Structures are given as C-alpha cells and as structure tokens.
Amino acid sequence: MEKRGKIYRYEQASELLPNRLRKLALALPDRQKEYAEELRLRTAHPMTVLTPEGELSVAPSNRDAIVTAEDLEQMLSAVTEYSRYASMESIRQGYLCVRGGFRLGICGTLVMRDGLPYNIREFSGFALRIVREKIGIANECVSRLFAPDGQFQSTLILSEPGGGKTTLLRDLIRYLSLGDSEHGAKRVAVIDERGEISVSYQGHAQMELGNHTDVLCDCPKAIGIPMVLRAMNPQIIALDEITAPEDIRAMCMAANCGVGLLATIHAGSEEELLRKPLWREMLAADVFQRIVVIKNDHGARSYEVRELKCCDCSAEE
C-alpha cells in the first residue's frame, strides 16, 4: 500500500506538467516513480526526475523531453489557476505552494525594486517537489523528547540535505498537536517561511499538522516568532532550517517566555554541527535540551535522540 501511495503521489505531480511532458513522466517505470523526489524542468534541456541515485532523464533520446520557455509559462499559468497576480508574493520569493500538496521552485531573471525582490520573469527552470507525508515516523523518538515530569524539551533535528528533517519535523508537529494518553495536546505555532512544512494553499495547510496547530506562512523566522508570541499564545514554536543569528535571538526570546522550540538545521553529524558558528551561539544561549540525529542506512532512516547538558558547552572550545 505504501508503494502504491508513493507512485500515486508521483502521478498526481505529473498531472501538473504540460501535456507533452506529462505523457513522458507517466511512462516511467514504477520503481522510478516510487522513489522520485522532484521533477526538474530547465529550458533547452531534457526534463529529469530526481531520485536518491541522482537525476535521471525521463526520455534520454526523445526530443519531446526538451523543455521550452513556453512549457514553463504554460505550467505556471495552470498551477496558479490563471491568476498569477494572486500568487505574486510567493513567486517573487522563488517558490509556489500548489494545490494537491506540491511545491514548485522557480528560477529565472529576478526583477528588483527598491532593493527588494519584485518579480521573476524569463523563467529558466522549475523544480516540482513531490512532498510525501510519513504519518507515524515520529513515534520512534517522540517519547524521548519529554522530561520525566512530562515537560516537552526544546529539540533540534539535524541531517544532511535531503535526509528527511522536514518530514520528521512535520510528523512531530502533528503528534505534539494531537497529544496522546501520556502527553496532552499542545498549541503549536509553525513559522513556515518557505512553505515547506505545511505546503499551504489559499490559507489551508495541505499537510496534516494536528488539531491545535497555527501556521504563519511566508514570514521570516525572526519576525514570525515574536508575532505568534504576541498573538497566538503557543506552547511550542516549530520552524525549519535555522540559518541566521537573528533566528537564534528570536528563539531565545521565545525560550525566555517559557515556550518550547522544535527546529531543524543542516548537519550530517554532530561533529559537523559542532563546527557551525550558529551552533556555538545556540549552546551559549542554552536554547535546546535535545538533539535528534537522522541516520540513513541505504534508504532506511533511524532517529537517535541525545540529551544536551550544560557540559556540552565545552564542545565549542
């Protein structure tokens, strides 16, 4: 059933392609459909599918696989339901959340106005991300994210790029928001800066995030954290990909207000994490009490939970 579901998600994504490219995408073997992560369209080049083994051409010797500028224009018009203006705020940031729970990355010529992104024109490439939920994967590690008194411990998830951080984050949000017989439901505020967690479309989160979750989309984390603190009274704030010192300052503010934090960061191992200047700042601020390291063994993922203690601060020296 899980295999059939993965293939179905791929076929759903293929329906968003222009007709000529759709037929080629749907002709792929089921094994490639099952493991496909993205469909990549670049003008003047063959369309490819991204899999764990790399990018594969959908039809290496077929000139129908060559992507044209008209293909990209047609596709964008279709996924915005012929109302690009309504989606312009997202397009100018280089991505678009699409009906059905998909995410479209956009490249082209960026038009600036007053020092800020204003529009993207002359599209050169799209990356159609096939977002797949994995309900229940958090069950393996979530119980270890609570202290003996039942208090949620602020947690940082790390893995290499493409290692499954956002997928685990999403399911942890769902679990915490729903609660169980041992841990009650929590109010979770999600700062979804690039739409990767909720894949929200017209204000509706297309991913399952639980009954007590509020989502703030298209907002920088450093701005969004104080906003939800003031307005939504969260017990936990969740965010994806910590990248800047201002994110840490905002998280410190939340921690000082008694709010738990759930976040991700790019790092293939704890050793790599320790080399990041941002990590030294987080250690000094004492923001997190747990780390979840995602391990990938030939496609099989496992989750190692480590408790952070004050002595871990010596790692920065």
Side-chain angles (χ1 to χ4, degrees), residues 3-17 21-30 32-39 47-51 56 58 102 128 130-132:
K3 176 180 177 179
R4 186 62 246 172
K6 290 179 178 179
I7 294 172
Y8 176 67
R9 284 293 287 167
Y10 171 88
E11 292 174 347
Q12 277 187 306
S14 300
E15 292 297 324
L16 300 171
L17 299 172
L21 298 175
R22 179 191 312 136
K23 291 178 180 179
L24 294 174
L26 291 173
L28 281 184
D30 281 353
Q32 292 181 359
K33 292 179 181 179
E34 179 184 357
Y35 293 103
E37 298 172 358
E38 294 178 352
L39 286 159
M47 182 174 68
T48 62
V49 57
L50 177 64
T51 72
L56 308 171
V58 296
F102 302 100
L128 181 58
I130 305 169
V131 182
R132 294 185 175 97

Side-chain angles (χ1 to χ4, degrees), residues 28 73 80 224 284:
L28 281 184
E73 289 285 348
T80 59

Side-chain angles (χ1 to χ4, degrees), residues 56-80:
L56 308 171
S57 175
V58 296
S61 59
N62 191 333
R63 290 202 58 82
D64 282 345
I66 303 296
V67 177
T68 67
E70 290 75 19
D71 289 328
L72 301 187
E73 289 285 348
Q74 178 185 342
M75 183 175 175
L76 191 64
S77 293
V79 299
T80 59

Side-chain angles (χ1 to χ4, degrees), residues 104-121:
L104 187 68
I106 301 169
C107 270
T109 301
L110 181 64
V111 179
M112 302 288 288
R113 181 170 291 182
D114 298 325
L116 296 172
Y118 176 72
N119 195 6
I120 296 180
R121 57 182 177 82

Side-chain angles (χ1 to χ4, degrees), residues 46 65 113 115 150 155 228 266 311 316:
R113 181 170 291 182
T155 299
V228 297
H266 284 314
C311 61
E316 63 178 310

Side-chain angles (χ1 to χ4, degrees), residues 60 107 127 215 235 298 301:
C107 270
V215 182
Q235 295 169 293
H298 302 290
R301 289 173 181 162

Side-chain angles (χ1 to χ4, degrees), residues 48-288:
T48 62
V49 57
L50 177 64
T51 72
E53 289 126 20
E55 282 191 51
L56 308 171
S57 175
V58 296
S61 59
N62 191 333
R63 290 202 58 82
D64 282 345
I66 303 296
V67 177
T68 67
E70 290 75 19
D71 289 328
L72 301 187
E73 289 285 348
Q74 178 185 342
M75 183 175 175
L76 191 64
S77 293
V79 299
T80 59
E81 299 179 357
Y82 300 92
S83 181
R84 289 193 200 180
Y85 180 79
S87 304
M88 188 54 66
E89 187 59 39
S90 184
I91 291 172
R92 66 172 56 124
Q93 300 299 326
Y95 72 91
L96 190 65
C97 292
V98 179
R99 185 191 295 274
F102 302 100
R103 190 174 182 277
L104 187 68
I106 301 169
C107 270
T109 301
L110 181 64
V111 179
M112 302 288 288
R113 181 170 291 182
D114 298 325
L116 296 172
Y118 176 72
N119 195 6
I120 296 180
R121 57 182 177 82
E122 297 170 352
F123 301 112
S124 61
F126 289 169
L128 181 58
R129 182 74 179 176
I130 305 169
V131 182
R132 294 185 175 97
E133 289 184 297
K134 295 187 177 179
I135 302 295
I137 61 169
N139 296 351
E140 180 182 334
C141 64
V142 68
S143 63
R144 287 172 280 170
L145 306 185
F146 291 87
D149 63 0
Q151 183 73 24
F152 174 75
Q153 302 295 283
S154 292
T155 299
L156 183 68
I157 302 167
L158 61 118
S159 80
E160 59 190 11
K165 294 185 298 298
T166 304
T167 305
L168 177 61
L169 173 67
R170 190 182 294 123
D171 200 49
L172 282 169
I173 292 168
R174 181 194 63 83
Y175 184 98
L176 294 167
S177 178
L178 292 174
D180 61 16
S181 58
E182 186 175 357
H183 305 106
K186 305 294 184 185
R187 295 185 303 277
V188 184
V190 176
I191 314 300
D192 202 1
E193 185 170 358
R194 291 180 295 274
E196 294 179 288
I197 303 172
S198 64
V199 199
S200 290
Y201 181 79
Q202 295 183 353
H204 172 65
Q206 299 182 97
M207 300 292 107
E208 179 51 61
L209 298 179
N211 296 338
H212 303 94
T213 299
D214 302 295
V215 182
L216 181 62
C217 292
D218 301 335
C219 180
K221 292 180 277 291
I223 295 174
I225 289 174
M227 285 178 65
V228 297
L229 281 174
R230 289 192 297 265
M232 303 309 297
N233 187 25
Q235 295 169 293
I236 298 171
I237 294 176
L239 50 150
D240 207 8
E241 296 186 14
I242 301 169
T243 58
E246 54 265 31
D247 298 342
I248 297 171
R249 288 192 288 271
M251 288 190 297
C252 288
M253 178 196 307
N256 289 334
C257 293
V259 175
L261 294 159
L262 181 61
T264 71
I265 192 169
H266 284 314
S269 64
E270 290 181 65
E271 292 72 25
E272 182 182 340
L273 180 64
L274 291 172
R275 294 194 294 269
K276 290 180 176 287
L278 282 175
W279 176 236
R280 292 195 287 272
E281 291 189 40
M282 283 187 281
L283 279 174
D286 194 24
V287 173
F288 293 101

